């Protein structure tokens, strides 16, 4: 090894050593379960929503708790829209953005998914097609109560989201906050829209 390579190797080690995490460094998702429990419980008990929707379930559960609800803030709706809502196996067209709760590095919460770039522009945004049955149960619950043209902010407790498991960029125990616009949905196999 010549002197030039030796100096480069030493400088590389110094750079790597200076990048190590310090003891006082902020851990983005420290105590994440408790923070998410407190965030959702506070919103639920303070009634910081327009409606609390009981989770969609095929069972006959009668013992419910706050984590069995999806919190909805109704931002807008389409006047004179049909009063029907999508069913579990319908196809829906939605615009959406998904965030986590606020954290040290993300004032508005880490944005983990979106179907459009903000600010929302109806003329250029392309909706995403889903079947509600294939989504986390909190998102499904909201969709099954929406009407065409509804624009909602939906807060989903981790129990109705990804639960106690990580999912891609979403850490375990994450409350999910979605902004959803239901553009359209249809129920028959021919693709007739309602």
């Amino acid at each position: 090894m010549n002197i030039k390579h030796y100096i480069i190797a030493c400088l590389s080690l110094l750079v790597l050593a200076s990048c190590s995490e310090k003891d006082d460094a902020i851990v983005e998702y420290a105590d994440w379960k408790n923070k998410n429990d407190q965030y959702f419980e506070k919103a639920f008990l303070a009634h910081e929503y327009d409606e609390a929707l009981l989770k969609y379930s095929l069972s006959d559960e009668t013992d419910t708790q706050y984590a069995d609800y999806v919190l909805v803030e109704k931002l807008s709706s389409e006047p004179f829209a049909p009063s029907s809502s999508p069913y579990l196996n319908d196809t829906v067209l939605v615009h959406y953005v998904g965030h986590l709760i606020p954290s040290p590095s993300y004032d508005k919460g880490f944005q983990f998914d979106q179907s459009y770039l903000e600010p929302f522009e109806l003329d250029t945004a392309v909706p995403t097609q889903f079947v509600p049955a294939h989504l986390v149960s909190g998102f499904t619950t909201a969709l099954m109560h929406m009407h065409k043209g509804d624009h909602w902010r939906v807060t989903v407790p981790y129990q109705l989201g990804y639960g106690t498991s990580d999912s891609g960029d979403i850490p375990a125990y994450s409350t999910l906050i979605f902004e959803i616009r239901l553009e359209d949905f249809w129920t028959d196999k021919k693709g007739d829209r309602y």
Side-chain angles (χ1 to χ4, degrees):
M1 175 184 283
N2 67 29
I3 190 72
K4 183 178 177 182
H5 288 115
Y6 179 77
I7 292 172
I8 291 173
C10 288
L11 287 174
S12 297
L13 288 174
L14 284 173
V15 169
L16 288 175
S18 67
C19 293
S20 66
E21 190 172 352
K22 295 179 182 176
D23 290 336
D24 61 347
I26 295 173
V27 178
E28 191 68 36
Y29 302 118
D31 199 25
W32 195 238
K33 180 184 183 305
N34 288 331
K35 287 178 183 174
N36 280 270
D37 281 335
Q38 291 170 7
Y39 181 92
F40 191 83
E41 184 175 8
K42 179 184 176 216
F44 185 84
L45 296 175
H47 297 284
E48 296 175 356
Y49 51 87
D50 295 317
E51 190 172 352
L53 304 174
L54 185 60
K55 70 178 178 181
Y56 166 76
S57 176
L58 294 175
S59 68
D60 293 329
E61 294 178 33
T62 56
D63 183 27
T64 59
Q65 53 187 336
Y66 73 90
D68 291 326
Y69 289 88
V70 172
L71 307 181
V72 174
E73 182 183 350
K74 296 179 179 180
L75 302 175
S76 67
S77 61
E78 189 175 298
F80 311 110
S83 61
S84 58
S85 296
Y87 292 117
L88 189 61
N89 290 312
D90 287 350
T91 301
V92 298
L93 285 178
V94 296
H95 298 287
Y96 71 95
V97 175
H99 290 268
L100 303 180
I101 66 170
S103 64
S105 299
Y106 302 96
D107 296 3
K108 296 178 182 177
F110 172 70
Q111 182 176 313
F112 59 84
D113 200 4
Q114 79 278 341
S115 66
Y116 61 89
L117 298 175
E118 296 184 276
F120 178 76
E121 295 288 338
L122 183 60
D123 297 336
T124 57
V126 177
T128 300
Q129 183 173 307
F130 290 123
V131 173
H134 299 161
L135 305 170
V136 296
S137 61
F139 200 112
T140 298
T141 298
L143 283 173
M144 292 175 60
H145 287 83
M146 295 180 80
H147 303 117
K148 185 177 174 182
D150 281 350
H151 175 200
W152 291 2
R153 183 172 296 116
V154 178
T155 304
V156 176
Y158 69 82
Q159 295 89 338
L160 303 181
Y162 293 102
T164 60
S165 302
D166 293 344
S167 180
D169 291 336
I170 303 171
Y173 303 106
S174 289
T175 297
L176 308 176
I177 302 167
F178 292 102
E179 195 161 312
I180 306 170
R181 299 168 191 266
L182 179 59
E183 291 299 314
D184 211 345
F185 66 95
W186 56 92
T187 59
D188 68 358
K189 294 183 181 184
K190 297 182 293 183
D192 291 340
R193 296 182 179 189
Y194 299 101

